Amino acid sequence: MDASNTSDAYIRITNDVISKSRNDLVFTGELDESVLTELHSIWRRKMIQAGVIRGTIETSSPPIQNPNPLHGYAQNKSGIDSDPQFPSTELGLSIKNEGEGLYIPQQDGASDDIKPSAFAPHDDDDESLNEDDDYEEDDINDDEDIPHLIMCQFDYVKKRKNKWECKLKAGVMQINEKNILFSETKGDFTF
Amino acid sequence: MDTEACRNDFIARSFAKTEEVQELKKFSIQRFEFDSVGRSYVMATFELYRRSTIGMCLTETLDEMVQSGTLSPELAIQVLVQFDKSMTEALESQVKTKVTIKGHLHTYRFCDNVWTFILQDAMFKSEDRQENVSQVKIVACDSKLLTQ
């Protein structure tokens, strides 16, 4: 259960996703290589910031062909001289983006914006409110209260009286602020 | 028929029933794919790994790029599905760690082929280490749905 093993595994998975996407999408012309590279780099950066992989994040911005304000690179439309190598991060100096109001490049970590993700796994809770939505103290869907989460597959789950036994596999454990991967787990629970 | 085509035929037959397909939709994405001779089959993936840190980082990245217009939603979904596959494969074949879990089962639920457990005072042991948590949620999909 070594953190460096998880980091290595995540790096391999990331590389695998990118290279297979390259084969499927870039070589067929559906996706630009530069977009894929950008995707790879942002994904990697977020994982480093989240502390799940080892690596360094470039802090100076490289010359960009396609500057995008959402990624923290200042878009210079206001006539202020700015060197693309060193975007200004001084507090109080804001750089106007055309048509988008004030924008201050953020260099200190992940955005605080929590927008509902179009691609996040969704639960089928889209019906209008009814008695099923009453809050219960032990609401099993209340993810917020339980920071520790395991995502995996089960081979079997059986119980005898109040003794439960299960065989789980292919899991990610996010416990005690660590990411631990397992191929197999034997679980013994007492209800 | 090569191995891949055999597997795909098996998946197509296994998921032929509409009800199963509807159930799968609740926790996975389906894509219809065609093999080299034009036979169609359904490819199911487990979405659950997207809730992990690596998955959430990817989801956020794709969201940003779609919102900025750099990436189309259709391509973003294809990347996500590839993530499902790569993640599942890595966990099934590249990771070698075995763990035992013990704890008090506080809550359990089985719905749509997914087990959800909430354990209290749980202990996780592997060959070289142990972790203890006061409360943990386990979400487990049926491994047989991706039988190969």
Side-chain angles (χ1 to χ4, degrees):
Chain A
M1 287 205 286
D2 187 354
S4 67
N5 287 339
T6 300
S7 174
D8 291 342
Y10 278 0
I11 291 172
R12 274 199 304 270
I13 291 165
T14 309
N15 291 341
D16 189 53
V17 173
I18 296 298
S19 78
K20 294 217 163 98
S21 297
R22 182 174 288 120
N23 289 338
D24 288 345
L25 305 173
V26 175
F27 295 158
T28 55
E30 289 168 77
L31 180 66
D32 226 45
E33 174 62 38
S34 64
V35 176
L36 191 64
T37 309
E38 188 184 344
L39 198 169
H40 192 181
S41 129
I42 299 171
W43 188 12
R44 232 187 118 251
R45 169 170 57 81
K46 285 182 187 286
M47 287 200 282
I48 292 170
Q49 283 169 346
V52 292
I53 65 172
R54 290 186 307 259
T56 50
I57 305 171
E58 289 144 18
T59 48
S60 66
S61 44
I64 314 139
Q65 278 88 33
N66 190 18
N68 187 323
L70 288 176
H71 297 162
Y73 298 124
Q75 189 154 5
N76 182 7
K77 299 260 185 193
S78 63
I80 300 170
D81 273 329
S82 74
D83 185 340
Q85 291 290 335
F86 301 103
S88 174
T89 56
E90 287 160 58
L91 288 174
L93 176 67
S94 53
I95 301 175
K96 261 203 166 89
N97 272 325
E98 212 170 299
E100 290 189 328
L102 291 174
Y103 176 71
I104 301 169
Q106 182 174 4
Q107 299 269 340
D108 62 347
S111 165
D112 288 329
D113 282 345
I114 300 169
K115 298 188 179 97
S117 164
F119 304 108
H122 61 90
D123 297 315
D124 279 343
D125 279 338
D126 290 329
E127 291 83 22
S128 54
L129 280 172
N130 54 37
E131 65 274 7
D132 291 339
D133 294 304
D134 288 349
Y135 173 76
E136 282 163 15
E137 204 177 301
D138 295 330
D139 191 346
I140 204 169
N141 283 322
D142 201 351
D143 273 319
E144 271 70 56
D145 285 353
I146 306 182
H148 311 290
L149 177 65
I150 299 175
M151 295 142 278
C152 60
Q153 303 171 25
F154 68 87
D155 279 342
Y156 65 76
V157 175
K158 31 191 198 193
K159 81 174 192 77
R160 191 156 179 267
K161 296 191 185 169
N162 72 331
K163 300 288 186 201
W164 290 64
E165 188 192 306
C166 62
K167 178 101 181 300
L168 308 174
K169 59 183 258 195
V172 185
M173 301 200 289
Q174 290 178 187
I175 56 176
N176 295 333
E177 292 172 4
K178 301 181 183 103
N179 262 243
I180 300 165
L181 311 180
F182 65 81
S183 53
E184 256 177 53
T185 287
K186 188 84 180 311
D188 289 295
F189 315 145
T190 311
F191 182 63
Chain B
M1 213 195 271
D2 65 65
T3 313
E4 173 101 270
C6 281
R7 180 172 76 92
N8 294 334
D9 262 1
F10 173 79
I11 292 172
R13 279 197 298 273
S14 300
F15 299 153
K17 295 182 203 159
T18 313
E19 309 88 68
E20 273 175 303
V21 162
Q22 289 306 318
E23 273 193 3
L24 278 174
K25 277 193 172 137
K26 287 177 186 169
F27 64 87
S28 68
I29 280 193
Q30 311 210 309
R31 291 192 304 165
F32 285 91
E33 294 185 354
F34 298 88
D35 65 11
S36 55
V37 295
R39 285 172 301 191
S40 71
Y41 56 88
V42 174
M43 195 65 148
T45 61
F46 283 142
E47 270 189 38
L48 92 159
Y49 297 118
R50 298 180 194 183
R51 292 160 81 169
S52 65
T53 310
I54 178 177
M56 296 297 296
C57 289
L58 176 60
T59 307
E60 281 175 25
T61 304
L62 293 172
D63 257 356
E64 284 173 14
M65 294 179 75
V66 167
Q67 279 173 37
S68 70
T70 318
L71 187 66
S72 75
E74 295 78 25
L75 289 176
I77 290 177
Q78 288 191 57
V79 174
L80 263 181
V81 172
Q82 181 57 59
F83 165 77
D84 294 338
K85 292 187 205 172
S86 299
M87 183 79 175
T88 303
E89 202 213 334
L91 291 173
E92 285 177 351
S93 27
Q94 291 167 28
V95 173
K96 300 293 177 201
T97 312
K98 291 189 189 176
V99 176
T100 57
I101 310 178
K102 285 194 186 347
H104 163 65
L105 183 61
H106 179 262
T107 322
Y108 61 87
R109 184 172 82 176
F110 183 61
C111 184
D112 295 337
N113 288 307
V114 179
W115 275 104
T116 307
F117 302 116
I118 295 184
L119 292 187
Q120 288 177 334
D121 301 321
M123 184 177 63
F124 302 85
K125 252 200 214 168
S126 78
E127 210 173 87
D128 50 357
R129 248 164 79 156
Q130 182 173 316
E131 297 284 337
N132 293 298
V133 285
S134 56
Q135 206 175 26
V136 63
K137 182 169 177 173
I138 302 178
V139 180
C141 293
D142 192 342
S143 66
K144 289 183 285 303
L145 289 175
L146 290 186
T147 307
Q148 291 178 30

